[in-house]
Structures are given as structure tokens and as C-alpha cells.
Amino acid sequence: MDRPGYFIAPTIVTGLAEGARLVDEEQFGPVLPILGFDIEEEAVARANATRFGLGASVWSGDQARAEAVARQLEAGTVWINGHGGATPDLPFGGFKESGIGRGMGVAGLRSYAEIRVVHGAGT
């Protein structure tokens, strides 16, 4: 982009294959690799084959079908017909190498708590 710093405009990349760094590595930026698939099971298997799992999204005009696919994805958050954003009342975190534990929500609050059990006479 034409400004100081290391910025890149939002970019969609096609024509990549499995094994390309942009496909196989977790990226944090406005770059999205697009890979086609023939059957739904192939898309789910490929999505789950990564060692990462922070977030995923499923896009479909069929809500029930999108929900069925979303339930199969190994990611901490799966959005349907959208991507990004979190609310403080819901836990946020990833699967696999994309994070351990959760922040936000009740689950996130519990991860910061120290539980103490005191045993004594009569208890």
C-alpha cells in the first residue's frame, strides 16, 4: 500500500495447491487463499488436516448444511456466513497449535481463577 509501514491491501489468492506456505501456515493478515473442492467431505478433511485451528468460517445459502459442516471443523470458533469478531460473553481460543485455553466468557474467567479446597476436622 502507498503509505509508510509494512501494509498489504486485502488480497485473495487463487491457483495455489496443498503445500504452499500461504495454504499450510497460519497467517494473520488480510490475505485469503482460495482452494476449490469437489465434495463437502473433502473440504472438511482438508480444513482439519492443518495443525492450526483458531477460527474457521462456512459460507452457504443452506443454513442447516452450513451448521452441519461447522460442527465438523476443528477450530476454536466457527462462523457461518461471516468471519471475525467476538463478544465478551463467549469464550475465545483455538484448537491444536492455535492456542491453549480460552479467554472471555465464563470459561475464560475460570481459566484465571485459583480454586482452593480446605480440608479440616468436621469437613
Side-chain angles (χ1 to χ4, degrees):
M1 295 178 69
D2 188 21
R3 64 183 191 194
Y6 298 101
F7 297 97
I8 184 170
T11 304
I12 292 178
V13 180
T14 60
L16 297 175
E18 301 290 336
R21 286 184 65 196
L22 187 61
V23 172
D24 292 352
E25 295 180 11
E26 191 171 38
Q27 76 275 149
F28 292 92
V31 179
L32 180 65
I34 303 291
L35 284 80
F37 61 91
D38 292 320
I39 59 172
E40 211 167 86
E41 292 79 11
E42 175 189 359
V44 170
R46 287 169 66 187
N48 290 339
T50 179
R51 63 185 206 266
F52 304 109
L54 183 58
S57 56
V58 177
W59 299 79
S60 174
D62 182 333
Q63 183 72 19
R65 187 174 180 190
E67 289 176 14
V69 170
R71 293 182 196 292
Q72 298 174 65
L73 296 177
E74 298 169 355
T77 300
V78 181
W79 292 272
I80 295 177
N81 294 330
H83 192 89
T87 59
D89 57 323
L90 296 175
F92 182 80
F95 282 20
K96 306 176 190 179
E97 291 182 31
S98 292
I100 298 172
R102 296 288 178 266
M104 304 193 320
V106 173
L109 289 173
R110 287 186 178 144
S111 72
Y112 296 109
E114 292 289 340
I115 298 173
R116 177 175 304 182
V117 177
V118 178
H119 289 271
T123 33

Short mmCIF file of all heavy atoms in Angstrom, two decimals, residues 29-69:
data_model
loop_
_atom_site.label_atom_id
_atom_site.label_comp_id
_atom_site.label_asym_id
_atom_site.label_seq_id
_atom_site.Cartn_x
_atom_site.Cartn_y
_atom_site.Cartn_z
N GLY A 29 -3.34 -11.65 8.59
CA GLY A 29 -3.29 -10.52 7.70
C GLY A 29 -4.45 -10.60 6.73
O GLY A 29 -5.17 -11.60 6.68
N PRO A 30 -4.61 -9.59 5.92
CA PRO A 30 -5.76 -9.55 5.02
C PRO A 30 -5.50 -10.31 3.71
O PRO A 30 -5.70 -9.79 2.62
CB PRO A 30 -5.94 -8.05 4.78
CG PRO A 30 -4.54 -7.52 4.82
CD PRO A 30 -3.85 -8.34 5.88
N VAL A 31 -5.00 -11.55 3.83
CA VAL A 31 -4.72 -12.36 2.65
C VAL A 31 -5.45 -13.68 2.81
O VAL A 31 -5.35 -14.34 3.85
CB VAL A 31 -3.20 -12.61 2.50
CG1 VAL A 31 -2.93 -13.48 1.28
CG2 VAL A 31 -2.45 -11.30 2.40
N LEU A 32 -6.20 -14.07 1.79
CA LEU A 32 -7.01 -15.27 1.88
C LEU A 32 -6.74 -16.18 0.68
O LEU A 32 -7.02 -15.80 -0.46
CB LEU A 32 -8.50 -14.88 1.90
CG LEU A 32 -9.50 -16.01 1.99
CD1 LEU A 32 -9.37 -16.73 3.32
CD2 LEU A 32 -10.91 -15.46 1.83
N PRO A 33 -6.17 -17.37 0.93
CA PRO A 33 -6.02 -18.33 -0.16
C PRO A 33 -7.34 -19.05 -0.40
O PRO A 33 -8.03 -19.42 0.56
CB PRO A 33 -4.95 -19.29 0.35
CG PRO A 33 -5.08 -19.24 1.83
CD PRO A 33 -5.56 -17.85 2.17
N ILE A 34 -7.72 -19.22 -1.64
CA ILE A 34 -8.95 -19.91 -2.00
C ILE A 34 -8.58 -21.21 -2.71
O ILE A 34 -7.86 -21.19 -3.70
CB ILE A 34 -9.82 -19.05 -2.95
CG1 ILE A 34 -10.16 -17.70 -2.33
CG2 ILE A 34 -11.07 -19.81 -3.36
CD1 ILE A 34 -11.10 -17.76 -1.16
N LEU A 35 -9.08 -22.33 -2.18
CA LEU A 35 -8.87 -23.64 -2.81
C LEU A 35 -10.23 -24.26 -3.06
O LEU A 35 -11.11 -24.22 -2.19
CB LEU A 35 -8.07 -24.57 -1.89
CG LEU A 35 -6.58 -24.28 -1.81
CD1 LEU A 35 -6.30 -23.15 -0.87
CD2 LEU A 35 -5.83 -25.50 -1.39
N GLY A 36 -10.41 -24.84 -4.22
CA GLY A 36 -11.68 -25.47 -4.56
C GLY A 36 -11.77 -26.88 -4.01
O GLY A 36 -10.78 -27.47 -3.57
N PHE A 37 -12.97 -27.44 -4.03
CA PHE A 37 -13.19 -28.82 -3.61
C PHE A 37 -14.36 -29.37 -4.41
O PHE A 37 -15.18 -28.62 -4.94
CB PHE A 37 -13.44 -28.91 -2.10
CG PHE A 37 -14.66 -28.17 -1.64
CD1 PHE A 37 -15.89 -28.79 -1.56
CD2 PHE A 37 -14.58 -26.83 -1.27
CE1 PHE A 37 -17.02 -28.11 -1.13
CE2 PHE A 37 -15.69 -26.13 -0.83
CZ PHE A 37 -16.92 -26.77 -0.77
N ASP A 38 -14.41 -30.70 -4.49
CA ASP A 38 -15.48 -31.35 -5.24
C ASP A 38 -16.62 -31.80 -4.35
O ASP A 38 -17.79 -31.71 -4.72
CB ASP A 38 -14.93 -32.54 -6.02
CG ASP A 38 -14.01 -32.10 -7.15
OD1 ASP A 38 -14.32 -31.10 -7.82
OD2 ASP A 38 -12.96 -32.74 -7.35
N ILE A 39 -16.28 -32.32 -3.16
CA ILE A 39 -17.32 -32.78 -2.25
C ILE A 39 -17.06 -32.20 -0.86
O ILE A 39 -15.93 -31.89 -0.49
CB ILE A 39 -17.41 -34.33 -2.19
CG1 ILE A 39 -16.07 -34.93 -1.74
CG2 ILE A 39 -17.85 -34.91 -3.51
CD1 ILE A 39 -16.15 -36.42 -1.47
N GLU A 40 -18.13 -32.05 -0.12
CA GLU A 40 -18.08 -31.45 1.21
C GLU A 40 -17.08 -32.15 2.13
O GLU A 40 -16.33 -31.51 2.87
CB GLU A 40 -19.48 -31.55 1.80
CG GLU A 40 -19.87 -30.48 2.73
CD GLU A 40 -21.36 -30.55 2.98
OE1 GLU A 40 -21.77 -31.31 3.88
OE2 GLU A 40 -22.11 -29.85 2.27
N GLU A 41 -17.08 -33.48 2.10
CA GLU A 41 -16.18 -34.24 2.97
C GLU A 41 -14.72 -33.91 2.68
O GLU A 41 -13.90 -33.87 3.60
CB GLU A 41 -16.43 -35.76 2.80
CG GLU A 41 -17.77 -36.23 3.33
CD GLU A 41 -18.95 -35.94 2.39
OE1 GLU A 41 -18.74 -35.56 1.22
OE2 GLU A 41 -20.10 -36.07 2.85
N GLU A 42 -14.39 -33.65 1.44
CA GLU A 42 -13.03 -33.26 1.07
C GLU A 42 -12.67 -31.90 1.69
O GLU A 42 -11.58 -31.72 2.23
CB GLU A 42 -12.90 -33.18 -0.45
CG GLU A 42 -11.56 -32.67 -0.94
CD GLU A 42 -11.52 -32.38 -2.43
OE1 GLU A 42 -12.54 -32.58 -3.13
OE2 GLU A 42 -10.46 -31.93 -2.90
N ALA A 43 -13.60 -30.97 1.64
CA ALA A 43 -13.35 -29.65 2.22
C ALA A 43 -13.12 -29.75 3.73
O ALA A 43 -12.21 -29.13 4.28
CB ALA A 43 -14.51 -28.71 1.91
N VAL A 44 -13.95 -30.53 4.42
CA VAL A 44 -13.80 -30.70 5.87
C VAL A 44 -12.47 -31.38 6.19
O VAL A 44 -11.74 -30.94 7.08
CB VAL A 44 -14.99 -31.49 6.46
CG1 VAL A 44 -14.73 -31.89 7.90
CG2 VAL A 44 -16.27 -30.69 6.32
N ALA A 45 -12.14 -32.44 5.47
CA ALA A 45 -10.88 -33.15 5.72
C ALA A 45 -9.68 -32.23 5.50
O ALA A 45 -8.73 -32.24 6.29
CB ALA A 45 -10.79 -34.38 4.81
N ARG A 46 -9.69 -31.44 4.44
CA ARG A 46 -8.58 -30.53 4.17
C ARG A 46 -8.49 -29.44 5.22
O ARG A 46 -7.40 -29.08 5.66
CB ARG A 46 -8.72 -29.94 2.77
CG ARG A 46 -8.40 -30.98 1.70
CD ARG A 46 -8.77 -30.52 0.33
NE ARG A 46 -7.99 -29.39 -0.12
CZ ARG A 46 -8.25 -28.74 -1.25
NH1 ARG A 46 -9.26 -29.11 -2.02
NH2 ARG A 46 -7.51 -27.73 -1.62
N ALA A 47 -9.63 -28.92 5.64
CA ALA A 47 -9.62 -27.88 6.67
C ALA A 47 -9.07 -28.42 7.99
O ALA A 47 -8.31 -27.74 8.68
CB ALA A 47 -11.03 -27.33 6.87
N ASN A 48 -9.40 -29.65 8.32
CA ASN A 48 -8.96 -30.24 9.58
C ASN A 48 -7.55 -30.82 9.51
O ASN A 48 -6.98 -31.16 10.55
CB ASN A 48 -9.94 -31.33 10.03
CG ASN A 48 -11.26 -30.75 10.49
OD1 ASN A 48 -11.34 -29.58 10.84
ND2 ASN A 48 -12.29 -31.57 10.47
N ALA A 49 -6.96 -30.91 8.33
CA ALA A 49 -5.63 -31.50 8.18
C ALA A 49 -4.52 -30.58 8.66
O ALA A 49 -3.38 -30.99 8.77
CB ALA A 49 -5.39 -31.91 6.72
N THR A 50 -4.83 -29.35 8.94
CA THR A 50 -3.82 -28.40 9.40
C THR A 50 -3.51 -28.61 10.88
O THR A 50 -4.32 -29.16 11.62
CB THR A 50 -4.28 -26.94 9.16
OG1 THR A 50 -3.28 -26.06 9.64
CG2 THR A 50 -5.59 -26.66 9.89
N ARG A 51 -2.36 -28.14 11.31
CA ARG A 51 -2.02 -28.21 12.73
C ARG A 51 -2.53 -26.98 13.49
O ARG A 51 -2.31 -26.85 14.68
CB ARG A 51 -0.52 -28.39 12.91
CG ARG A 51 0.33 -27.28 12.41
CD ARG A 51 1.82 -27.67 12.57
NE ARG A 51 2.63 -26.49 12.67
CZ ARG A 51 3.25 -25.90 11.65
NH1 ARG A 51 3.14 -26.40 10.44
NH2 ARG A 51 3.97 -24.83 11.84
N PHE A 52 -3.23 -26.11 12.79
CA PHE A 52 -3.79 -24.91 13.40
C PHE A 52 -5.30 -25.02 13.52
O PHE A 52 -5.92 -25.87 12.89
CB PHE A 52 -3.42 -23.68 12.57
CG PHE A 52 -1.94 -23.52 12.38
CD1 PHE A 52 -1.36 -23.74 11.15
CD2 PHE A 52 -1.14 -23.18 13.46
CE1 PHE A 52 0.01 -23.60 10.98
CE2 PHE A 52 0.23 -23.05 13.30
CZ PHE A 52 0.80 -23.26 12.05
N GLY A 53 -5.90 -24.14 14.30
CA GLY A 53 -7.35 -24.19 14.45
C GLY A 53 -7.90 -23.03 15.26
O GLY A 53 -8.68 -23.23 16.17
N LEU A 54 -7.50 -21.81 14.94
CA LEU A 54 -8.01 -20.66 15.68
C LEU A 54 -9.45 -20.38 15.28
O LEU A 54 -10.34 -20.36 16.10
CB LEU A 54 -7.14 -19.43 15.45
CG LEU A 54 -7.54 -18.18 16.25
CD1 LEU A 54 -7.52 -18.47 17.74
CD2 LEU A 54 -6.62 -17.02 15.91
N GLY A 55 -9.69 -20.14 14.00
CA GLY A 55 -11.03 -19.84 13.55
C GLY A 55 -11.27 -20.36 12.15
O GLY A 55 -10.34 -20.61 11.40
N ALA A 56 -12.54 -20.54 11.83
CA ALA A 56 -12.93 -21.00 10.50
C ALA A 56 -14.28 -20.38 10.18
O ALA A 56 -14.98 -19.89 11.07
CB ALA A 56 -13.05 -22.53 10.48
N SER A 57 -14.61 -20.39 8.91
CA SER A 57 -15.94 -19.92 8.53
C SER A 57 -16.51 -20.82 7.44
O SER A 57 -15.77 -21.38 6.63
CB SER A 57 -15.91 -18.46 8.07
OG SER A 57 -15.00 -18.27 7.03
N VAL A 58 -17.81 -20.96 7.46
CA VAL A 58 -18.55 -21.74 6.47
C VAL A 58 -19.53 -20.79 5.81
O VAL A 58 -20.25 -20.06 6.48
CB VAL A 58 -19.32 -22.90 7.14
CG1 VAL A 58 -20.14 -23.67 6.12
CG2 VAL A 58 -18.37 -23.83 7.89
N TRP A 59 -19.53 -20.81 4.48
CA TRP A 59 -20.39 -19.91 3.72
C TRP A 59 -21.36 -20.74 2.89
O TRP A 59 -20.95 -21.58 2.09
CB TRP A 59 -19.53 -19.03 2.81
CG TRP A 59 -18.59 -18.18 3.60
CD1 TRP A 59 -17.40 -18.58 4.16
CD2 TRP A 59 -18.75 -16.81 3.96
NE1 TRP A 59 -16.82 -17.54 4.84
CE2 TRP A 59 -17.63 -16.43 4.73
CE3 TRP A 59 -19.74 -15.88 3.71
CZ2 TRP A 59 -17.48 -15.16 5.24
CZ3 TRP A 59 -19.58 -14.60 4.22
CH2 TRP A 59 -18.46 -14.25 4.97
N SER A 60 -22.66 -20.51 3.07
CA SER A 60 -23.65 -21.28 2.35
C SER A 60 -25.00 -20.59 2.43
O SER A 60 -25.30 -19.92 3.42
CB SER A 60 -23.76 -22.70 2.96
OG SER A 60 -24.81 -23.42 2.36
N GLY A 61 -25.82 -20.81 1.42
CA GLY A 61 -27.20 -20.34 1.45
C GLY A 61 -28.11 -21.30 2.19
O GLY A 61 -29.25 -20.99 2.48
N ASP A 62 -27.58 -22.48 2.53
CA ASP A 62 -28.34 -23.50 3.24
C ASP A 62 -27.87 -23.54 4.69
O ASP A 62 -26.82 -24.11 5.00
CB ASP A 62 -28.11 -24.85 2.55
CG ASP A 62 -28.90 -25.99 3.16
OD1 ASP A 62 -29.23 -25.93 4.37
OD2 ASP A 62 -29.15 -26.98 2.44
N GLN A 63 -28.64 -22.92 5.59
CA GLN A 63 -28.24 -22.78 6.99
C GLN A 63 -28.00 -24.12 7.67
O GLN A 63 -27.02 -24.31 8.39
CB GLN A 63 -29.28 -21.97 7.76
CG GLN A 63 -28.93 -21.70 9.20
CD GLN A 63 -27.82 -20.67 9.38
OE1 GLN A 63 -27.52 -19.89 8.49
NE2 GLN A 63 -27.20 -20.69 10.55
N ALA A 64 -28.88 -25.08 7.46
CA ALA A 64 -28.74 -26.39 8.11
C ALA A 64 -27.47 -27.10 7.63
O ALA A 64 -26.75 -27.71 8.43
CB ALA A 64 -29.97 -27.25 7.84
N ARG A 65 -27.20 -27.01 6.37
CA ARG A 65 -25.99 -27.64 5.81
C ARG A 65 -24.75 -26.95 6.35
O ARG A 65 -23.77 -27.60 6.72
CB ARG A 65 -26.03 -27.55 4.29
CG ARG A 65 -24.94 -28.28 3.60
CD ARG A 65 -25.17 -28.26 2.10
NE ARG A 65 -24.13 -28.96 1.39
CZ ARG A 65 -23.99 -28.93 0.08
NH1 ARG A 65 -24.84 -28.23 -0.66
NH2 ARG A 65 -23.02 -29.58 -0.50
N ALA A 66 -24.77 -25.63 6.44
CA ALA A 66 -23.63 -24.88 6.98
C ALA A 66 -23.37 -25.26 8.43
O ALA A 66 -22.23 -25.43 8.85
CB ALA A 66 -23.88 -23.38 6.85
N GLU A 67 -24.43 -25.40 9.22
CA GLU A 67 -24.28 -25.79 10.62
C GLU A 67 -23.70 -27.19 10.74
O GLU A 67 -22.84 -27.45 11.60
CB GLU A 67 -25.62 -25.71 11.35
CG GLU A 67 -26.08 -24.29 11.58
CD GLU A 67 -27.46 -24.21 12.22
OE1 GLU A 67 -27.96 -25.23 12.74
OE2 GLU A 67 -28.04 -23.10 12.18
N ALA A 68 -24.12 -28.10 9.88
CA ALA A 68 -23.59 -29.47 9.90
C ALA A 68 -22.09 -29.49 9.59
O ALA A 68 -21.32 -30.19 10.24
CB ALA A 68 -24.35 -30.35 8.91
N VAL A 69 -21.68 -28.69 8.62
CA VAL A 69 -20.25 -28.60 8.28
C VAL A 69 -19.50 -27.93 9.43
O VAL A 69 -18.43 -28.39 9.83
CB VAL A 69 -20.04 -27.84 6.95
CG1 VAL A 69 -18.57 -27.53 6.73
CG2 VAL A 69 -20.61 -28.64 5.79
#
